[in-house]
């Protein structure tokens, strides 16, 4: 296969997969079938594009092949003739449009389908991450501290549940929408977080775009604006997180490389959220990032303010991330012993949580304890990004032996 053809298929998979699955699922009302059809279309592209050349409109080509695969599957089941008729008609209508302006985006609709009450709460975010944003069961399981095989089985059962329960493929009415929107926001943020390591911006751009859609769809939900602000603050610093490919921690980043337009947009979104007087974890996390952003004006970081917000976040919206952040803030204000106590009090699946070990290593190093090296080794072992691993190694070398 030519390198150009391979790159074209990879680009189509990354950019079109979620839109393709969402559009197909909205027609056949069968999520597993839509995923299979989209996957077969990508396999066909891998076989044919190297010899035939990459089509002028790769997304339209994939859609045509996926529709045919889906119709063939339905046709083999004689009990669903009405579905065949509907799919055939819609295929003709779609062919007439040509999708010159791009494939109609149904991803947000599918995300609300995945947040339906018929779906187990703990599976709503993983389901969205796989079906809408194309993350693998391995990647989702790793992020959520669940064995990949177990996550794969749970996702398969959940997709069958959608079909068996007859979940409607539509954005719910306003009175129901706000009940489900939290799960959608969680999935969007998880998708953004999965793009954090490295320099790829595709998934982060998609996550921010989806957040904007939710803000427009649910203007009464302050947390939607809070999430948008949080991601914009983080995204504004993407170019500063690497220097010649090497990881640069937030407090050492060059503020001239921050995107100040994104920071201003984030500040506006956070202010608008605050006017609605609805507390939420995304607004609290965005407020922490706002404090960091103020370093562009003051030249310093107000770590006491960061610590105070983490206390509020941990008290009202406890989570693993909030606890680790609180521990970090204790360290930044010279109270490393208290930060270590916060980590010691954690119960939950922290053994394979990389931020836990990185923060534990930092606090132990601040206390000049020799076991900091073991914590650094655990953190490095759980890190996939080589540049972050090198940075952690450099930090481990700064451990000072105890005074005699």
């Amino acid at each position: 296969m030519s390198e150009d053809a391979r790159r074209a298929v990879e680009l189509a998979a990354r950019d079109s997969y979620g839109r393709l699955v969402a559009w197909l699922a909205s027609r056949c009302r069968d999520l597993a079938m839509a995923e299979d059809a989209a996957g077969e279309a990508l396999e066909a592209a891998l076989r044919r594009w190297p010899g035939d050349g990459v089509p002028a409109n790769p997304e339209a080509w994939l859609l045509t092949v996926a529709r045919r695969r889906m119709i063939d599957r339905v046709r083999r089941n004689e009990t669903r003739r009405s579905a065949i008729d509907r799919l055939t008609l819609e295929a003709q209508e779609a062919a007439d449009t040509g999708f010159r302006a791009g494939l109609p985006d149904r991803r947000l609709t599918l995300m609300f389908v995945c947040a339906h009450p018929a779906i187990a709460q703990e599976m709503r975010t993983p389901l969205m991450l796989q079906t809408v944003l194309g993350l693998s069961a391995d990647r989702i399981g790793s992020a959520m501290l669940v064995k990949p095989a177990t996550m794969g089985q749970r996702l398969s059962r959940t997709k069958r549940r959608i079909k068996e329960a007859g979940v409607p493929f539509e954005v719910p009415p306003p009175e129901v929408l706000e009940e489900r929107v939290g799960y959608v926001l969680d999935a969007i943020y998880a998708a953004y977080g999965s793009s954090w390591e490295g320099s790829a911006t595709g998934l982060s751009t998609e996550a921010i775009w989806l957040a904007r859609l939710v803000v427009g769809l649910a203007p009464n939900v302050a947390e939607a604006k809070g999430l948008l602000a949080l991601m914009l603050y983080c995204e504004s610093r993407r170019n500063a997180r690497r220097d010649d490919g090497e990881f640069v921690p937030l407090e050492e980043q060059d503020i001239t490389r921050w995107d100040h337009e994104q920071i201003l947009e984030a500040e506006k979104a956070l202010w608008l959220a605050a006017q609605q007087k609805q507390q939420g974890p995304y607004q609290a996390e965005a407020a922490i990032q706002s404090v960091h952003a103020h370093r562009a004006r003051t030249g310093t970081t107000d770590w006491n303010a960061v610590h105070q917000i983490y206390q509020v976040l941990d008290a009202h919206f406890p989570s693993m991330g909030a606890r680790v952040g609180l521990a970090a803030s204790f360290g930044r204000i010279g109270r490393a012993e208290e930060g270590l106590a916060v980590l010691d009090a954690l119960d939950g699946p922290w053994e394979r949580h990389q931020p836990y070990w990185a923060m534990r290593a930092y606090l132990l190093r601040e206390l000049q304890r020799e076991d900091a090296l073991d914590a650094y080794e655990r953190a490095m072992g759980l890190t996939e990004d080589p540049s972050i691993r090198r940075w952690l190694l450099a930090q481990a070398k700064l451990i000072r032996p105890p005074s005699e």
Side-chain angles (χ1 to χ4, degrees):
M1 175 186 295
S2 73
E3 192 60 30
D4 286 345
R6 182 181 296 279
R7 279 199 299 266
V9 176
E10 291 175 351
L11 183 64
R14 185 176 69 244
D15 292 350
S16 302
Y17 179 80
R19 289 193 297 272
L20 192 60
V21 170
W23 191 90
L24 294 169
S26 70
R27 266 59 186 170
C28 71
R29 306 296 196 268
D30 188 326
L31 188 50
M33 180 187 292
E35 286 185 307
D36 288 343
E40 290 174 9
L42 290 169
E43 289 177 6
L46 283 170
R47 292 193 306 270
R48 294 175 56 180
W49 290 5
D52 298 347
V54 178
N57 189 335
E59 193 168 70
W61 190 97
L62 289 169
L63 175 62
T64 298
V65 174
R67 277 198 317 258
R68 290 171 182 166
R69 296 290 193 275
M70 196 162 63
I71 293 170
D72 288 344
R73 282 172 176 268
V74 176
R75 186 176 290 119
R76 287 195 291 269
N77 186 342
E78 291 301 324
T79 64
R80 298 181 62 181
R81 292 301 311 182
S82 61
I84 295 173
D85 294 339
R86 182 178 69 250
L87 287 168
T88 302
L89 175 61
E90 291 174 344
Q92 182 59 52
E93 292 173 348
D96 290 342
T97 66
F99 292 116
R100 286 182 292 274
L103 184 64
D105 207 314
R106 301 286 185 269
R107 285 177 298 171
L108 194 57
T109 298
L110 184 53
M111 294 182 85
F112 278 101
V113 170
C114 296
H116 191 276
I119 307 302
Q121 291 186 14
E122 68 274 12
M123 290 307 301
R124 294 173 189 175
T125 292
L127 186 62
M128 293 180 216
L129 290 175
Q130 185 179 67
T131 61
V132 181
L133 295 160
L135 301 190
S136 67
D138 285 5
R139 196 168 173 185
I140 297 168
S142 176
M144 298 191 170
L145 307 179
V146 176
K147 292 180 179 179
T150 301
M151 179 58 71
Q153 293 168 357
R154 291 176 181 174
L155 286 165
S156 295
R157 288 196 298 268
T158 303
K159 291 168 193 174
R160 289 197 297 270
R161 176 60 182 159
I162 288 177
K163 182 178 177 181
E164 293 166 358
V167 175
F169 279 67
E170 60 188 18
V171 174
E175 63 273 14
V176 177
L177 184 146
E178 293 185 14
E179 298 174 6
R180 301 189 201 174
V181 72
Y183 298 103
V184 173
L185 296 177
D186 290 345
I188 291 172
Y189 188 45
Y192 182 83
S194 73
S195 74
W196 187 250
E197 290 189 359
S199 58
T201 60
L203 197 53
S204 63
T205 300
E206 293 291 287
I208 291 172
W209 181 82
L210 287 167
R212 293 187 201 280
L213 287 185
V214 178
V215 168
L217 190 65
N220 295 327
V221 178
E223 275 290 83
K225 300 179 185 68
L227 174 60
L228 177 60
L230 172 60
M231 293 191 296
L232 286 169
Y233 281 125
C234 294
E235 193 65 14
S236 72
R237 300 192 290 266
R238 180 175 290 275
N239 291 335
R241 292 208 307 270
R242 294 289 190 276
D243 185 9
D244 290 332
E246 294 303 309
F247 172 72
V248 181
L250 174 56
E251 59 271 22
E252 297 176 18
Q253 289 174 9
D254 180 355
I255 61 173
T256 65
R257 300 182 66 185
W258 290 357
D259 187 325
H260 297 280
E261 288 188 8
Q262 286 186 322
I263 291 174
L264 288 174
E265 185 182 356
E267 297 275 73
K268 179 180 179 181
L270 182 58
W271 182 84
L272 289 173
Q275 306 314 299
Q276 295 181 262
K277 302 188 184 304
Q278 303 168 8
Q279 278 194 330
Y282 290 127
Q283 292 170 75
E285 291 188 46
I288 292 168
Q289 297 305 319
S290 177
V291 174
H292 286 298
H294 283 184
R295 180 162 72 86
R297 298 184 208 142
T298 65
T300 60
T301 300
D302 188 344
W303 289 109
N304 283 308
V306 170
H307 177 66
Q308 290 169 9
I309 302 172
Y310 266 121
Q311 286 183 308
V312 173
L313 181 63
D314 182 60
H316 296 283
F317 310 103
S319 68
M320 176 77 76
R323 296 244 85 187
V324 172
L326 178 62
S329 69
F330 270 118
R332 293 300 185 186
I333 61 174
R335 295 160 62 182
E337 194 76 55
E338 292 174 76
L340 192 60
V342 169
L343 295 183
D344 287 340
L346 271 173
D347 65 3
W350 49 262
E351 294 89 347
R352 295 193 58 78
H353 189 59
Q354 194 273 346
Y356 168 90
W357 288 106
M359 189 48 55
R360 187 173 188 85
Y362 158 71
L363 293 170
L364 289 170
R365 195 192 79 197
E366 288 293 295
L367 294 169
Q368 300 184 39
R369 284 177 44 172
E370 291 183 320
D371 50 347
L373 185 57
D374 292 335
Y376 272 118
E377 289 178 352
R378 291 291 295 270
M380 285 185 279
L382 293 169
T383 302
E384 295 182 4
D385 189 318
S387 68
I388 295 179
R389 195 177 300 118
R390 287 191 294 270
W391 181 82
L392 288 168
L393 179 60
Q395 298 303 299
K397 291 178 178 179
L398 296 176
I399 295 174
R400 299 183 296 274
S403 302
E404 296 182 359

